[in-house]
Amino acid sequence: MSEFKIVGKPIPRHDAWSKVTGDLKYADDFSLPGMLFAKVLRSKYPAAKIISIDTEKAEQLDGVQAVLTAKDVPHNETVTKFGQSTEVGKGFEGLYRVLAEKKVRFMGEAVALVAAETEEIAEKALDLIEVKYEPLPGVFDPLEAIKPDAYPVGENNTNIIGEFGCHQGDTEKGFSQADIIIEDTYKVPFVDHVYLEPEAGISWIDDYGILTIRVSTQVIEHFRDVADVLGLPHNKVRYIGTIMGGGFGGKEDITVETYLALLTWKTKKPVRLVYTREESILCHSKRHPFVMKYKVGAKKDGKLVALDAELISDAGAYPYLSPWVTLYATVNAAGPYCIPNVKVKAHCVLTNNTFTSANRGFGAPQPNVAYESIMDELSHKLNIDPLEIRRRNCLTTGKALSTTGQVFKTYIALPEVAEKAWKALGEPAGHKDENRKIGRGLAIGLMSYGRMTFLHDSSRCYVRLESDGSVLIRSGIPDLGGGQISLLCQIVAEELGVPMSQVKIYHSDTALTPLAGTTTATRQTYMSGNATLKAAREIRKRVLNKAA
Amino acid sequence: MSEFKIVGKPIPRHDAWSKVTGDLKYADDFSLPGMLFAKVLRSKYPAAKIISIDTEKAEQLDGVQAVLTAKDVPHNETVTKFGQSTEVGKGFEGLYRVLAEKKVRFMGEAVALVAAETEEIAEKALDLIEVKYEPLPGVFDPLEAIKPDAYPVGENNTNIIGEFGCHQGDTEKGFSQADIIIEDTYKVPFVDHVYLEPEAGISWIDDYGILTIRVSTQVIEHFRDVADVLGLPHNKVRYIGTIMGGGFGGKEDITVETYLALLTWKTKKPVRLVYTREESILCHSKRHPFVMKYKVGAKKDGKLVALDAELISDAGAYPYLSPWVTLYATVNAAGPYCIPNVKVKAHCVLTNNTFTSANRGFGAPQPNVAYESIMDELSHKLNIDPLEIRRRNCLTTGKALSTTGQVFKTYIALPEVAEKAWKALGEPAGHKDENRKIGRGLAIGLMSYGRMTFLHDSSRCYVRLESDGSVLIRSGIPDLGGGQISLLCQIVAEELGVPMSQVKIYHSDTALTPLAGTTTATRQTYMSGNATLKAAREIRKRVLNKAA
């Protein structure tokens, strides 16, 4: 790294000052004259038939400008087909419904939207909407929901929305060679993202009739989905992404945008919608609970010989990214260990819980709990040091991922990193106080970063050298608060040999900045970083050519 | 034209609806919360020494947030060097001064700026600024100003800021062959642009410290000049151009932007400045008055043999584009006529009048008055039909421009156009009413369009085909109200075979749209039209390749 002057150096982010002083306008800090306030009526039941919705009283309340239900949404249902054929699973469909129709599927599901002149009036209007429900039993445990005669969460007979499998070697033979077999079932719960900034945005129609949405999102490309919901051409919807106060995958799906778009389109006025913390926790996506039945066989020396795993993921009430997350979990099920005989089956199941979707790690953290618990159990039962048993099994360069057989050609630093980490922990501390227990542990995780090649990932960037030597960047890159836009500035400053103060970036606007793809999967440093580097290099080349 | 479906067809402009309904926000229709109102203190004298400026009382007035004079402007003087060596003149310098310093040069020159919480307070504050002037004689007639001992308008000894000349053939010999010689002096006055929308804009600092100026301008590239005045890097100033309510060259120079920028930079608040009509007429640029001494020699049959012309243009108090305008007038001095022996001399002179600059035609209309008056006089004296005498002399394909010798290779439709126009006028109407006189006349003009090749003109455009087939354009093109942005939509719609309703354009933003150059000199249809056409063709090619 020594040849770099700016990249990799501990320099202030280009937006540090505006954050510290509070100048930076997050999604919630922005308002427009004549703006309306939106509120969402949410289902009190996790499972119920909607008998009727009467919005008349709400509409008549002074200051209410719009009350919308499913019948007012031009395209209330969107079916996304995940058509890719992978080695581990077949294609599947994902239903997204803007407002509840026929029946509600989870407690907190959006049933109606209100836009009013004040937040208080909007709240009051929610109380005046009369929804008649017929409560239904529902199903909340994925192990129940997976059964053939389970309560159907959606309109289909089955709750299974994705099935995946990996198979390498011969597990039967593998287990027959094992000196020790451990079987256990592991469960992980829902996890909320709990970003500092809840879901928030404001929408308006610009001078030319463009529906513009300024929103905290990891995926500005959802402008297309919003356009499809409203039945508008894609170029009539524009997203302006704000710097986020955290995302962690929770702003990877649409949050407030469709609601904003519908209300602005109806009223032709600016509309603001910011979730309360309660609302965010009640009704936005969570990390998937998994039930993981693991069976592992090993030799006396700790060498793993077989793994049989079954994963059941709780998708909650709507698919969203659940099949993808479950697919990633399947591939990650054996962790960073070499196991010659592996069988993994995974099921993704709808329940009447809050829907689940992307959340840091995207399916990798859940099986991690299972395989690392088993490694510790093996270490204990075989009386082998926890580090040593991992060292004996862990992936090294040239070895293959146990679930898929993918051979790693790049350098794997895992063994020496684990060794260093263990040494750095030092000797266990003595227990001076009976009431105080100090433990220490080691766990290794596996997760895939970046985009899979089959998604044909790409990014774009525009770099302009001004006539005074200052530089302007345009990139569609959304910034989670993680410094995504600052890193592009660093790359350009480094490459063109200008100070950071001379670099300015405009970002996250679907109409005005080149689309850079989603800020998810830790892909932006690699994808948009390289797009930016290439643009800067081209400028450098041209300047040097002129100078020569 | 018959093969076109959209280009050249009488279709509604893409922004017609927003104009008719009043939705379109011109520069004046835009405001921001916490915005301040700016006013400009203007000199009461056309020529005076500034002894002192006391702003203390104004600053103490409640609601006043800033009072600025020349000393507060980081770079109050900008000297633009026009270094191009042309065949008709040498390089020259143009001084631009933000606020008056040392002495005032014209009545209405900006002396101080005020930003206050209301327009009324700003007005009051102007009255409280105490400026002590020592009136000076000044000079108001370019024929006086050109004299060696004339009152010096600026800081130099001479008022001449540009001299140009064209010489073809031998005028002495030419006049000696003439059967008739006419000599006369013609004068044309100041002309104001009188656009419906006066000079207007609003500025603010965005979340990242970028000085943003939303302004009615023909040249968004002035962001660089504003940055230079403030001593900021160019990428720290952004222009957002509005659809103009007319420009006619009067919004080709900086108008309110520098004042806005200074006041926003000082107060860190949004600032609004809209000229009153009086202010616009008093202190913004005008068309140049010219004094034109013409001597023309012709044969009995009306054929022109010699022209000797001297042009003196009144630049007013500051150069702005005066040297260029005078250069263009020099080249156009002989009009569209073949004259074998030509001598033109032109002088551009400072006076204490309001400064002059670009105004429809850019130097072409002034000599037009002279040479067409002479053509009529010749027609009268030689008793040759006015059309016929023009027909005998006018340029045709293969002939050369009389001033520069430039041979026209392209088709010149002048003779038949004139013939058709004359016929279309029909017979002179009878005079039924003694108090009512009906005349009819014919005049031919010459002017150069587009940019001269030596300026290395270029334009850029971005076209994106959305995944649903709708199209998005980005172009820095400013729209005078003349439909500049609509024409790019037409070109794209035509080329990609989509209806106009499926094309959306984002325009005139120095940070976010590719720079397309100035909307001046009737260059945009050709320059940006072709850039857009090329982009659309590339998309069409790629789509067809994919489909094949």
Side-chain angles (χ1 to χ4, degrees), chain B residues 219-285:
Chain B
V219 182
I220 59 172
E221 286 81 357
H222 283 312
F223 76 95
R224 298 173 185 140
D225 304 311
V226 170
D228 289 343
V229 165
L230 272 78
L232 292 174
H234 289 184
N235 67 356
K236 290 284 189 291
V237 177
R238 171 186 177 189
Y239 265 46
I240 300 172
T242 59
I243 303 265
M244 283 165 272
F248 315 118
K251 293 171 183 167
E252 192 168 327
D253 299 295
I254 282 179
T255 62
V256 296
E257 304 104 282
T258 325
Y259 305 148
L260 286 170
L262 287 163
L263 290 170
T264 282
W265 202 243
K266 174 78 177 175
T267 61
K268 307 296 172 203
K269 292 187 181 169
V271 178
R272 180 181 192 272
L273 177 54
V274 180
Y275 282 0
T276 60
R277 178 64 62 193
E278 291 73 15
E279 208 170 12
S280 175
I281 288 178
L282 177 68
C283 66
H284 194 58
S285 75

Side-chain angles (χ1 to χ4, degrees), chain A residues 376 385-386 421-429 431 437-442:
Chain A
D376 279 347
D385 178 77
W422 196 243
K423 270 187 197 150
L425 275 175
E427 289 302 306
H431 289 234
K437 294 195 177 173
I438 298 172
R440 55 173 219 174
L442 179 93

Side-chain angles (χ1 to χ4, degrees), chain A residues 81-339:
Chain A
K81 286 180 200 270
F82 301 92
Q84 288 84 356
S85 72
T86 69
E87 280 176 31
V88 290
K90 51 184 162 46
F92 41 83
E93 291 185 353
L95 170 78
Y96 168 67
R97 191 172 278 159
V98 182
L99 294 175
E101 227 174 334
K102 300 161 199 168
K103 58 179 178 179
V104 291
R105 295 187 178 195
F106 69 100
M107 190 180 288
E109 181 167 4
V111 174
L113 305 174
V114 168
E117 285 157 22
T118 69
E119 231 171 326
E120 294 67 33
I121 297 172
E123 286 277 13
K124 259 189 213 164
L126 291 189
D127 293 339
L128 295 174
I129 299 172
E130 288 166 8
V131 187
K132 277 191 194 149
Y133 296 102
E134 177 187 310
L136 293 168
V139 61
F140 306 94
D141 180 346
L143 295 180
E144 290 300 318
I146 201 169
K147 290 179 180 166
D149 58 348
Y151 168 85
V153 174
E155 282 76 43
N156 297 330
N157 288 331
T158 176
N159 291 321
I160 301 172
I161 55 167
E163 300 216 281
F164 309 93
C166 286
H167 205 168
Q168 299 289 326
D170 179 343
T171 46
E172 210 166 312
K173 203 179 110 195
F175 282 113
S176 74
Q177 295 163 348
D179 296 320
I180 180 170
I181 290 174
I182 294 177
E183 276 190 82
D184 217 335
T185 296
Y186 303 90
K187 288 186 181 181
V188 289
F190 286 97
V191 178
D192 193 274
H193 309 82
V194 207
Y195 11 69
L196 278 177
E197 176 200 45
E199 297 78 2
I202 172 166
S203 59
W204 66 92
I205 298 174
D206 80 5
D207 294 2
Y208 301 111
I210 301 301
L211 181 56
T212 309
I213 308 174
R214 188 180 184 276
V215 62
S216 176
T217 179
Q218 297 177 239
V219 183
I220 59 172
E221 286 80 358
H222 283 311
F223 76 94
R224 298 171 184 141
D225 304 310
V226 170
D228 288 343
V229 166
L230 272 79
L232 292 173
H234 288 184
N235 67 355
K236 290 285 189 293
V237 177
R238 171 186 179 190
Y239 264 46
I240 300 173
T242 59
I243 302 265
M244 283 165 271
F248 314 117
K251 292 170 184 168
E252 193 168 326
D253 300 295
I254 282 179
T255 63
V256 297
E257 305 102 282
T258 325
Y259 305 149
L260 286 171
L262 286 163
L263 289 169
T264 283
W265 202 243
K266 175 77 178 179
T267 61
K268 307 296 172 202
K269 292 188 180 167
V271 177
R272 180 183 193 271
L273 177 53
V274 180
Y275 283 181
T276 60
R277 177 64 61 190
E278 293 72 16
E279 208 170 11
S280 175
I281 287 178
L282 178 68
C283 66
H284 194 58
S285 74
K286 305 280 171 282
R287 175 178 284 175
H288 296 73
F290 268 63
V291 179
M292 299 169 286
K293 298 176 191 169
Y294 265 64
K295 179 181 170 187
V296 167
K299 305 292 277 184
K300 270 182 194 160
D301 63 358
K303 288 278 267 183
L304 300 166
V305 288
L307 165 68
D308 192 339
E310 188 178 6
L311 313 175
I312 297 163
S313 70
D314 184 350
Y318 286 98
Y320 283 83
L321 296 165
S322 292
W324 285 113
V325 171
T326 310
L327 164 62
Y328 276 60
T330 310
V331 171
N332 285 300
Y337 300 114
C338 297
I339 314 175

Side-chain angles (χ1 to χ4, degrees), chain A residues 14-15 18 23-25 206-208 210 214 223-224 232-236 238 243 462 464 466-468 470-472 474 485 501-507 509-515, chain B residues 14-15 18 23-25 206-208 210 214 223-224 232-236 238 243 462 464 466-468 470-472 474 485 501-507 509-515:
Chain A
H14 85 293
D15 57 1
S18 68
D23 280 347
L24 185 75
K25 284 180 196 64
D206 80 5
D207 294 2
Y208 301 111
I210 301 301
R214 188 180 184 276
F223 76 94
R224 298 171 184 141
L232 292 173
H234 288 184
N235 67 355
K236 290 285 189 293
R238 171 186 179 190
I243 302 265
Y462 172 91
R464 182 169 85 199
E466 300 291 353
S467 50
D468 71 340
S470 61
V471 187
L472 186 147
R474 284 180 212 139
I485 59 177
S501 60
Q502 292 287 306
V503 181
K504 165 68 194 137
I505 184 166
Y506 291 85
H507 62 92
D509 186 321
T510 57
L512 293 172
T513 57
L515 294 178
Chain B
H14 86 295
D15 57 1
S18 68
D23 280 347
L24 185 76
K25 283 177 196 66
D206 81 4
D207 294 1
Y208 301 111
I210 301 302
R214 188 179 183 278
F223 76 95
R224 298 173 185 140
L232 292 174
H234 289 184
N235 67 356
K236 290 284 189 291
R238 171 186 177 189
I243 303 265
Y462 172 93
R464 182 171 84 199
E466 301 291 353
S467 49
D468 71 339
S470 60
V471 187
L472 186 148
R474 286 181 211 136
I485 60 177
S501 60
Q502 292 287 306
V503 181
K504 164 69 194 137
I505 185 168
Y506 291 84
H507 62 91
D509 187 322
T510 57
L512 293 172
T513 57
L515 294 177

Side-chain angles (χ1 to χ4, degrees), chain B residues 436-453:
Chain B
R436 216 174 139 211
K437 294 197 175 173
I438 297 172
R440 56 171 215 172
L442 179 91
I444 301 178
L446 171 78
M447 91 159 277
S448 51
Y449 279 106
R451 285 288 191 92
M452 291 186 185
T453 317

